[in-house]
Amino acid sequence: MAAPACSAPGLWVRRTGRRFGSLFTLSPKPFRSAAAASRPLDAQRLAERLRTQKQEQKTKKEPVPTNPVQRRVQELVRFTQQLQRVHPNVLAKALSRGIIHQDKDLLVINKPYGLPVHGGPGVQLCISDVLPILAKILHGHKADPLHLCHRLDKETTGVMVLAWEKEVAHQVQELFRTRQVAKKYWAITVRVPVPSAGVVDIPIIEKEVQGQQHHHKMTLSPSYRMDSGKMVRVRMRRNAHVAVTQYQVLSNTLSSALLELQPVTGIKHQLRVHLSFGLDCPILGDHKYSDWNRLAPQKLSVGTLKKLGLQQSKARHIPLHLHARQLILPALGSRKEELNLVCRLPRYFVRSLNRLGLEIPSQDPNGNDDAGHLGAQ
């Protein structure tokens, strides 16, 4: 004979004597005793209590660090997490507040940190998802969606160009493809490159990294090798891509530098690979390319950590300090003059500059006065 039903946490089914994991499973018998009838109420109260506890855990606030840098790191982590969770309307509204330039052909926005441009595995929300909403915010409910003209990495901030018409987007994409768009990035690096200005002209290829953490990375594929003390040119590998980056140190200390980068080509992760593997000066916060063999938080010197006010255990929260600072678009359509687009630095970037003792130049190397554009957002 089946055992009688017993109380929490689950319910017993008289007919089978089997216990179910669900708190809401009921006996299939139509007739129940008074004690059995009260059981669903107990389960309901227990379920409500569990829901309340879960909600309290969600809303429970983390302790606020006393260190201002650690507090800022916590704020940045929370902000990037929120970007993936907010309603698309909220994200579109936030992007509308970061407009750099707008005309009848183009809309230029300031891309925030941690926001992917395209969707993909694990991506809950991206810029391309909210372009129709952003267009309606700016031009009304009958507006056609905006179109992407180029892309930036998820961790990169700065100038991003959108187009109102698909044809204009294709024209701008062609300008990027034919290298007619002048691009300038600013980056904070760990260590100082030698020489202080130059060109990195080393092809890049994607390779598989063996080890416990199986993954793929972009890396260098040099066109030369040393043979008996002489440099010999070798044939470029079939899957390698020509990659050229101009760089110049704008400010430096003994252990870090602010660089201006001008990529001549546009290969995936080109700037990060050239700086880390070509110049041995990885970008601050680049946890992917600071070490070839591992995917691990960037290892920083004791002096750098002290300046930043962080411990090595918290280094994984340091964001990538790579900012798309300036784009110069040539004349396009009815616009007869080139369009110079400059984007302010994000707050965390400016604070890191101050902490590391790096100066923000009032003029760029070409003599253009950008003092009015360098404030933090």
Side-chain angles (χ1 to χ4, degrees):
M1 183 174 179
C6 66
S7 59
L11 298 176
W12 290 74
V13 179
R14 290 177 179 276
R15 193 169 287 174
T16 63
R18 193 155 49 97
R19 191 177 183 180
F20 284 75
S22 171
L23 297 176
F24 304 102
T25 306
L26 301 178
S27 170
K29 279 200 166 192
F31 174 79
R32 291 177 296 173
S33 64
S38 66
R39 240 170 256 122
L41 295 177
D42 294 338
Q44 185 176 1
R45 283 196 293 269
L46 180 58
E48 290 175 354
R49 190 179 305 122
L50 290 174
R51 281 197 297 267
T52 302
Q53 291 176 355
K54 190 174 182 180
Q55 189 65 28
E56 288 176 353
Q57 289 176 356
K58 284 184 178 179
T59 57
K60 186 178 180 181
K61 293 183 178 180
E62 298 179 10
V64 179
T66 56
N67 185 297
V69 179
Q70 292 180 347
R71 186 164 59 246
R72 180 57 186 160
V73 167
Q74 186 184 80
E75 291 172 0
L76 189 65
V77 171
R78 189 183 300 117
F79 173 70
T80 54
Q81 291 174 346
Q82 287 173 348
L83 280 178
Q84 293 289 306
R85 297 172 184 165
V86 299
H87 192 277
N89 291 355
V90 177
L91 178 56
K93 190 69 175 177
L95 293 178
S96 71
R97 290 193 292 266
I99 293 176
I100 300 170
H101 171 83
Q102 183 176 186
D103 58 35
K104 68 181 185 66
D105 294 322
L106 301 175
L107 177 72
V108 185
I109 62 172
N110 175 14
K111 179 193 169 297
Y113 174 83
L115 184 63
V117 175
H118 298 285
V123 175
Q124 300 176 17
L125 193 61
C126 60
I127 288 179
S128 60
D129 289 341
V130 301
L131 292 185
I133 305 172
L134 180 59
K136 287 179 173 60
I137 290 175
L138 298 173
H139 280 187
H141 289 288
K142 294 184 179 180
D144 293 328
L146 285 154
H147 302 275
L148 293 167
C149 296
H150 63 116
R151 66 180 298 274
L152 291 174
D153 290 340
K154 174 183 175 181
E155 298 87 358
T156 304
T157 59
V159 181
M160 183 157 202
V161 181
L162 309 171
W164 290 107
E165 301 291 339
K166 198 168 187 177
E167 183 181 349
V168 176
H170 288 160
Q171 292 175 2
V172 177
Q173 289 166 4
E174 185 64 14
L175 293 176
F176 276 94
R177 191 188 68 81
T178 54
R179 304 175 188 174
Q180 297 182 59
V181 180
K183 298 173 285 185
K184 293 183 180 181
Y185 290 74
W186 279 14
I188 298 178
T189 61
V190 178
R191 297 185 288 275
V192 184
V194 177
S196 60
V199 177
V200 182
D201 185 356
I202 308 176
I204 289 177
I205 192 171
E206 187 170 16
K207 282 188 176 182
E208 183 179 354
V209 181
Q210 302 291 341
Q212 293 181 344
Q213 296 172 302
H214 182 79
H215 61 285
H216 289 78
K217 280 183 183 178
M218 307 301 287
T219 189
L220 301 177
S221 180
S223 303
Y224 295 87
R225 63 179 175 85
M226 296 301 295
D227 186 7
S228 302
K230 295 182 179 180
M231 187 174 291
V232 180
R233 187 176 180 86
V234 296
R235 188 174 182 178
M236 193 170 80
R237 297 183 187 179
R238 184 180 61 180
N239 296 329
H241 304 277
V242 174
V244 182
T245 303
Q246 299 177 11
Y247 73 92
Q248 180 169 350
V249 175
L250 301 180
S251 176
N252 70 276
T253 63
L254 292 176
S255 58
S256 60
L258 170 64
L259 267 61
E260 181 175 84
L261 309 167
Q262 297 186 55
V264 178
T265 54
I267 307 304
K268 177 182 176 182
H269 297 169
Q270 172 181 321
L271 299 178
R272 297 164 68 178
V273 172
H274 273 173
L275 287 177
S276 185
F277 302 147
L279 294 173
D280 192 30
C281 297
I283 298 174
L284 179 65
D286 193 345
H287 308 292
K288 181 170 185 174
Y289 288 103
S290 291
D291 190 302
W292 165 252
N293 295 310
R294 300 185 305 154
L295 287 172
Q298 186 177 45
K299 285 288 183 70
L300 298 173
S301 67
V302 175
T304 299
L305 289 169
K306 186 176 181 180
K307 288 180 180 179
L308 293 174
L310 293 173
Q311 298 176 347
Q312 180 60 48
S313 61
K314 300 296 184 183
R316 67 184 183 277
H317 296 309
I318 298 176
L320 182 73
H321 286 64
L322 179 62
H323 179 67
R325 176 180 164 270
Q326 185 177 14
L327 284 181
I328 302 177
L329 291 172
L332 181 68
S334 59
R335 180 169 43 80
K336 303 303 180 183
E337 299 177 350
E338 66 179 21
L339 185 60
N340 186 12
L341 304 164
V342 180
C343 185
R344 295 172 182 267
L345 295 170
R347 277 198 186 93
Y348 73 85
F349 199 112
V350 174
R351 293 186 182 187
S352 295
L353 287 173
N354 294 334
R355 281 270 175 174
L356 294 171
L358 298 170
E359 297 180 357
I360 303 177
S362 57
Q363 288 188 338
D364 70 10
N366 297 325
N368 299 321
D369 187 2
D370 294 315
H373 299 280
L374 296 177
Q377 291 179 326

